[in-house]
Amino acid sequence: MINRNDPCWCGSGKKYKRCHFFEDAASGKKNGSTAPRMKEFPPKTMKEMQGMQRAGVFNGELIDFIRPYIKAGISTEEINTFIHRYTIDHGHIPACLGYHGYPKSVCTSINNVVCHGIPSKDALLHDGDIVNIDCTTIVNGYFADSSETFMIGSVSAEARHLVMVSAEALIRGIDAVKPGLPLAAIAEAIEPFVLSQGCSVVHQYTGHGIGKKFHESFSVYHHIDRECDNVVLRPGMTFTIEPMINLGGWPVTLDENDGWTVRTADGSLSSQFEHTILVTADGSETLTRTPSQIAAGVRLLVDGTAFV
Ligand code: MF3
Ligand code: CO
Ligand code: CO
């Protein structure tokens, strides 16, 4: 077996990952004993794909529903209550509530909180904050998972830069998805871009396969890492892409008191956008686009900036 960072078998002198790796992985051809052994995951059936599409539509509606409430002065507890009620009123299930003991129906991650921030009546949004609202819903047994980071009032130039970089990181990740390519194509599209913008990609938390389970099958790395090298993208796979991007370094800490809240180790700001996607015959479909994104013909719309 040849690793991605080894010299290519063809003798070009380039690293394998910069030379024949993608071609080998896509064709499944064995060049000597060097072609990577790719892991395959069963595609969703037609019925399952429709279930995922419906779940994605609702989760998008939920994000648009909560959008106007994300303003200075609201508490994350109130946001949680709105999301919980809207979900239940539509006959669906908030997936976060009770997931491995998680106590609320949404994750609300403010400023230096990377992910899994727990809504609280003591946590008010203030002018200048950035906050990620991460919603996951079970619709007729199928999960959809998406999030956006919101800028409250006027935020610093560096906070705005971070939010825009994290939005573009998600779009670049989605654009990299093509059947036949290794899953690693996503990380290859995200990490060099993020580093070039002076930000970093969190390593400890990843995207994930999703379907009739919240976190299923495989991890979707956003940073370049050997472990995800051998998963191949095939039509019918559904997973999330959700790069957590820090203004400082990538290391994070887990709050030992609540067992959930993840913060940047250096206290820097963190931002994230997430969509659930379906791999198609020629690329991917973004299942969790919101009605406002669909109306604008984009996959993300951040404070007037369109990410097509
Ligand atoms: N929605 C998160 C994700 O993107 C997971 C939240 S798990 C919870 O994977 F238990 F914290 F809600
Ligand atoms: Co997710
Ligand atoms: Co999520």
Side-chain angles (χ1 to χ4, degrees):
M1 264 288 269
I2 183 173
N3 282 315
R4 291 177 344 118
N5 286 313
D6 294 340
C8 189
W9 53 261
C10 75
S12 66
K14 287 194 256 180
K15 286 186 179 182
Y16 185 40
K17 70 178 181 190
R18 301 262 171 246
C19 197
H20 277 88
F21 173 74
F22 279 64
E23 213 177 284
D24 290 355
S27 67
K29 260 191 224 127
K30 296 258 188 303
N31 291 290
S33 61
T34 60
R37 239 173 297 136
M38 303 303 283
K39 262 190 225 156
E40 302 273 351
F41 288 90
K44 297 285 184 289
T45 63
M46 234 20 182
K47 186 176 161 229
E48 289 168 336
M49 284 187 229
Q50 280 167 5
M52 292 300 290
Q53 281 163 333
R54 291 198 184 108
V57 167
F58 177 77
N59 218 59
E61 288 168 356
L62 179 59
I63 297 262
D64 266 359
F65 159 75
I66 201 65
R67 189 183 302 287
Y69 296 103
I70 314 299
K71 292 273 152 44
I74 196 172
S75 72
T76 53
E77 174 73 38
E78 290 171 283
I79 294 170
N80 180 75
T81 302
F82 280 127
I83 286 178
H84 184 85
R85 287 215 191 114
Y86 185 90
T87 304
I88 299 294
D89 287 349
H90 286 77
H92 306 312
I93 300 169
C96 293
L97 187 60
Y99 181 72
H100 291 288
Y102 186 78
K104 298 285 177 178
S105 297
V106 61
C107 296
T108 52
S109 303
I110 304 174
N111 293 334
N112 62 323
V113 176
V114 173
C115 62
H116 306 167
I118 302 174
S120 151
K121 58 183 181 344
D122 301 326
L124 302 182
L125 299 183
H126 299 103
D127 191 75
D129 283 347
I130 60 172
V131 59
N132 176 273
I133 307 293
D134 191 341
C135 299
T136 312
T137 310
I138 313 172
V139 175
N140 298 325
Y142 295 94
F143 287 71
D145 183 7
S146 54
S147 81
E148 285 187 28
T149 294
F150 297 84
M151 295 181 272
I152 309 302
S154 53
V155 306
S156 68
E158 56 177 13
R160 175 171 293 270
H161 174 69
L162 172 71
V163 170
M164 292 302 166
V165 168
S166 66
E168 186 165 346
L170 171 58
I171 296 302
R172 285 180 181 241
I174 297 173
D175 282 341
V177 172
K178 297 273 178 307
L181 289 183
L183 190 62
I186 296 168
E188 298 269 2
I190 290 175
E191 194 177 41
F193 162 71
V194 169
L195 296 178
S196 80
Q197 298 299 307
C199 303
S200 65
V201 179
V202 170
H203 293 195
Q204 291 92 332
Y205 295 87
T206 64
H208 46 92
I210 185 168
K212 286 180 183 152
K213 282 191 277 183
F214 200 149
H215 295 95
E216 96 178 356
S217 311
F218 52 89
S219 295
V220 179
Y221 285 71
H222 308 111
H223 68 288
I224 296 171
D225 187 296
R226 287 233 166 100
E227 285 186 36
C228 76
D229 285 353
N230 56 354
V231 175
V232 66
L233 296 164
R234 296 287 184 215
M237 286 167 74
T238 50
F239 54 85
T240 72
I241 305 180
E242 50 179 305
M244 283 142 269
I245 308 300
N246 298 349
L247 210 38
W250 60 261
V252 300
T253 59
L254 177 64
D255 189 313
E256 287 177 12
N257 293 316
D258 66 26
W260 283 102
T261 310
V262 177
R263 296 186 180 84
T264 55
D266 60 13
S268 66
L269 295 175
S270 188
S271 177
Q272 178 186 28
F273 289 82
E274 173 176 24
H275 269 312
T276 297
I277 71 159
L278 164 70
V279 183
T280 60
D282 54 2
S284 71
E285 181 184 328
T286 301
L287 300 178
T288 42
R289 285 170 85 203
T290 74
S292 64
Q293 289 163 0
I294 292 167
V298 300
R299 287 169 291 174
L300 284 178
L301 195 55
V302 184
D303 215 22
T305 303
F307 293 85
V308 178

